[in-house]
Amino acid sequence: MNQNRFPLLAGLIAFIALLAYSSIFVVRAGQQAIVLRFGEIVEVKSDPGIYFKLPFGFLEADNVQMIEDRLLSFELDNIRVQVSGGKFYEVDAFLVYRITDPRKFRQTVSGDVTLAEARLRTRLDASLRGVYGLRGFEAALSDERTGMMQEVREQLRPDSETLGLQITDVRIRRTDLTQEVSQQTFDRMKAERLAEAERLRARGREAAQRIKAIADRQVVEIIAEARKESEIARGQGEGERSRIFAEVFSKDPDFFAFYRSMTAYGTALDNTGTTMVLSPNSEFFRYFQDSQGTLPPVSGATPPVAPKPAPQ
């Protein structure tokens, strides 16, 4: 009798355990639980812990759907946007959000994160195109970048709220030129740099010419001033020389004649390659014959008579 009751007792215990297992669910940190009864939302559990529900969810009694209760993010890469100037650029961005209204999230996208992100991607792409289309490329590289991200987030806010989501942040990670625009920009920058270099060279040549002209004028002025001073000094020297010669001549005419003859000898007999044929008895060589400069008598001529001394 006892042996027949044991399988029944074991089956009863197993049934109670299965009943208890199907009636308990656990909500962990970073999760939210939506309790569904016959497809309708009964309640939402957001705090971590152990909770109870009606057993046997397969009978459409109570089912539990777990959704995230933490920050989620996704990236949107290589978005081709057109700026106000008409050129195209490639933009990378990412979006951070969290599920703040589980009921609305379940009702709109059946609690599917992938479906919700697909809708956000479409809206983010459109918002980025609109924000960039109103500005130039330089705006994304300036202080306007923060304002652009805030504008995109504000445009996404209404759609995210209809999904039960809250947009926490929107960031633009990269803004680059497309390949064709990059080449055009490179060519334009190269042309601008070459033009700037040519302008600098022209300014350098102009400055060099100006400095050279000033230097040349200063050289001419300095040389002219030096020549003037040298001519003045030379004139003064010549005048002083003439004065000294005149003074010496007046004091001793014989010495002056001797000095002038010696100077003439030095000049005429210098190693200049010039040949002169003169008589040794000529006036020019009179100091070669006599220190007093007395010329010798000419052959056949009457010798000069010495003057008689004056009577005492």
Side-chain angles (χ1 to χ4, degrees):
M1 184 68 179
N2 293 333
Q3 292 180 352
N4 293 332
R5 291 181 178 178
F6 180 76
L8 182 61
L9 182 60
L12 181 60
I13 294 174
F15 176 77
I16 294 174
L18 178 62
L19 185 64
Y21 177 78
S22 62
S23 301
I24 296 174
F25 64 94
V26 178
V27 178
R28 296 180 175 82
Q31 289 183 332
Q32 301 178 84
I34 301 176
V35 180
L36 302 170
R37 181 172 298 165
F38 302 109
E40 297 293 332
I41 299 175
V42 177
E43 58 182 343
V44 176
K45 303 295 185 182
S46 300
D47 297 326
I50 299 175
Y51 297 93
F52 295 93
K53 63 179 182 64
L54 294 179
F56 307 119
F58 61 89
L59 298 177
E60 296 296 332
D62 281 0
N63 288 320
V64 178
Q65 182 180 10
M66 295 294 180
I67 60 175
E68 298 289 347
D69 188 19
R70 58 188 177 87
L71 290 177
L72 303 173
S73 67
F74 66 87
E75 297 180 354
L76 194 61
D77 298 332
N78 299 323
I79 308 171
R80 186 180 176 90
V81 299
Q82 184 178 18
V83 297
S84 60
K87 295 182 179 179
F88 289 90
Y89 297 89
E90 292 182 353
V91 177
D92 291 348
F94 72 90
L95 184 146
V96 180
Y97 69 97
R98 73 183 312 154
I99 302 171
T100 56
D101 191 339
R103 292 178 179 271
K104 191 175 294 186
F105 184 68
R106 165 69 188 184
Q107 293 170 351
T108 53
V109 292
S110 301
D112 190 345
V113 173
T114 304
L115 184 58
E117 289 185 354
R119 293 180 60 173
L120 287 177
R121 285 176 187 273
T122 302
R123 189 68 184 107
L124 176 61
D125 183 285
S127 297
L128 287 173
R129 293 178 188 277
V131 169
Y132 271 89
L134 298 175
R135 296 171 174 84
F137 172 70
E138 294 77 8
L141 307 178
S142 65
D143 295 338
E144 294 185 44
R145 185 187 185 97
T146 302
M148 292 171 64
M149 291 185 292
Q150 292 177 351
E151 186 174 344
V152 171
R153 184 174 61 186
E154 291 301 320
Q155 291 182 8
L156 293 175
R157 188 183 302 278
D159 287 344
S160 64
E161 290 177 352
T162 60
L163 297 175
L165 309 177
Q166 179 185 5
I167 304 298
T168 304
D169 198 6
V170 176
R171 295 287 176 176
I172 300 171
R173 294 189 296 110
R174 178 181 67 93
T175 302
D176 285 341
L177 300 169
T178 58
Q179 185 174 0
E180 60 274 13
V181 175
S182 178
Q183 184 61 40
Q184 294 173 4
T185 303
F186 174 78
D187 294 339
R188 177 177 55 81
M189 293 176 64
K190 180 180 178 181
E192 290 176 353
R193 298 287 79 79
L194 290 175
E196 181 65 20
E198 184 59 31
R199 284 195 294 270
L200 292 176
R201 282 193 291 268
R203 292 175 185 173
R205 288 192 293 267
E206 180 183 356
Q209 291 295 331
R210 184 169 58 252
I211 294 171
K212 186 176 183 298
I214 294 173
D216 291 342
R217 186 180 70 250
Q218 291 177 347
V219 168
V220 172
E221 292 175 352
I222 292 172
I223 293 176
E225 184 66 22
R227 286 178 177 173
K228 183 183 74 172
E229 293 178 358
S230 68
E231 291 296 332
I232 292 173
R234 185 179 292 109
Q236 292 174 350
E238 292 291 341
E240 183 67 16
R241 175 176 175 274
S242 299
R243 186 189 64 77
I244 294 173
F245 277 156
E247 184 178 350
V248 171
F249 179 76
S250 64
K251 288 183 179 180
D252 193 346
D254 292 336
F255 174 77
F256 186 75
F258 174 76
Y259 173 78
R260 292 293 298 271
S261 295
M262 292 299 104
T263 303
Y265 293 157
T267 302
L269 299 178
D270 194 10
N271 187 19
T272 60
T274 302
T275 302
M276 293 188 299
V277 180
L278 297 173
S279 171
N281 297 326
S282 65
E283 177 71 19
F284 184 73
F285 292 114
R286 59 188 179 130
Y287 284 102
F288 276 77
Q289 305 294 334
D290 189 341
S291 62
Q292 299 299 321
T294 303
L295 292 173
V298 181
S299 176
T302 304
V305 179
K308 294 180 179 181
Q312 300 295 328

